[in-house]
Amino acid sequence: MRIATTSTGYQAAGRGLNRYHKRQLDLRAKLQKKRTESAKRRLKERSRREQWHAANANHIMARRS
């Protein structure tokens, strides 16, 4: 899967992002299964971290041309 293609022909692949996303899904499922207060706190932190990672990856791709 290609995330983006620039006018210069650079094609950003989504393989790394897909692998990261799959790992996060597994971790989230594991934490949700525990249902403890600590797990809920960690889920919130995980959410913030995932948002940062996606925004950063998009920024890097947008700047590369």
Side-chain angles (χ1 to χ4, degrees):
M1 178 175 100
R2 290 191 186 18
I3 299 295
T5 302
T6 65
S7 60
T8 59
Y10 170 73
Q11 294 180 338
R15 183 170 176 250
L17 285 175
N18 289 339
R19 287 176 55 198
Y20 177 82
H21 184 65
K22 173 147 179 25
R23 181 168 186 269
Q24 299 312 309
L25 282 174
D26 294 341
L27 287 170
R28 229 180 6 256
K30 198 165 133 182
L31 284 170
Q32 285 172 344
K33 192 174 180 183
K34 278 188 178 268
R35 299 179 61 182
T36 62
E37 280 300 314
S38 176
K40 289 176 187 176
R41 271 195 310 272
R42 291 188 180 276
L43 279 166
K44 281 183 196 172
E45 179 59 33
R46 173 92 16 231
S47 172
R48 286 186 210 111
R49 210 172 269 262
E50 284 183 57
Q51 288 173 3
W52 177 87
H53 189 270
N56 189 49
N58 289 337
H59 171 74
I60 289 170
M61 280 184 255
R63 297 298 296 164
R64 198 179 271 182
S65 57

